[in-house]
């Protein structure tokens, strides 16, 4: 059974940084794309960043480009999201997700293409 466990959330002032991590288990980690999504109160879940199975391809939401960096370590079965220059509008629950297609050349931004999800970690950015 696939398990995804996020960590690293918390409270930070605007302009600060946080690093989220997601530890995966249950199926060959290096085979699947990984993504980060977030959901703010009263809003729909939205795409943040994704990384292909090999780590060579990444995609970002326009709202986080230049501030967030996604990375993965296939030897440790982890995916990370380094978040810099945080803004109050980044406040949300952040979810780690694993792609549904192994060794896919396409890195999706669509949540429907991810079939396993973590429980989420809260990120709060104060102004």
């Amino acid at each position: 059974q696939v398990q995804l466990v996020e960590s690293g959330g918390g409270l930070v002032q605007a302009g600060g940084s946080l690093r989220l991590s997601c530890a995966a288990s249950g199926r060959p980690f290096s085979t699947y794309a990984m993504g980060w999504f977030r959901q703010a109160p009263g809003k729909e879940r939205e795409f943040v960043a994704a990384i292909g199975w090999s780590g060579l391809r990444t995609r970002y939401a326009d709202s986080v480009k230049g501030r967030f960096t996604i990375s993965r370590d296939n030897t440790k079965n982890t995916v990370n999201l380094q978040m810099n220059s945080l803004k109050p509008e980044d406040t949300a629950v952040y979810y780690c997700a694993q792609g549904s297609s192994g060794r896919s050349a396409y890195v999706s931004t669509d949540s429907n293409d991810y079939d396993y999800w973590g429980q989420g970690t809260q990120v709060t950015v104060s102004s």
Side-chain angles (χ1 to χ4, degrees), residues 23-46:
S25 61
R27 64 180 181 180
F29 178 78
S30 61
T31 304
Y32 298 92
M34 298 295 296
W36 287 95
F37 293 77
R38 67 187 182 187
Q39 187 167 19
K43 295 187 177 181
E44 294 187 352
R45 189 174 296 186
E46 65 174 1

Side-chain angles (χ1 to χ4, degrees), residues 47-92:
F47 169 75
V48 176
I51 187 166
W53 61 273
S54 67
L56 294 178
R57 299 187 181 192
T58 58
R59 297 187 70 179
Y60 295 93
D62 288 343
S63 59
V64 307
K65 277 182 183 176
R67 300 188 298 123
F68 290 11
T69 302
I70 189 171
S71 63
R72 67 188 295 159
D73 186 339
N74 286 344
T75 65
K76 297 181 179 179
N77 290 1
T78 57
V79 60
N80 302 302
L81 185 68
Q82 178 66 42
M83 306 186 295
N84 299 329
S85 302
L86 283 161
K87 304 175 181 180
E89 50 263 44
D90 294 318
T91 295

Side-chain angles (χ1 to χ4, degrees), residues 98-101 106 108-115 117:
Q98 190 170 65
S100 56
S101 299
Y106 178 67
S108 177
T109 64
D110 186 344
S111 61
N112 291 317
D113 292 326
Y114 293 81
D115 54 2
W117 295 79

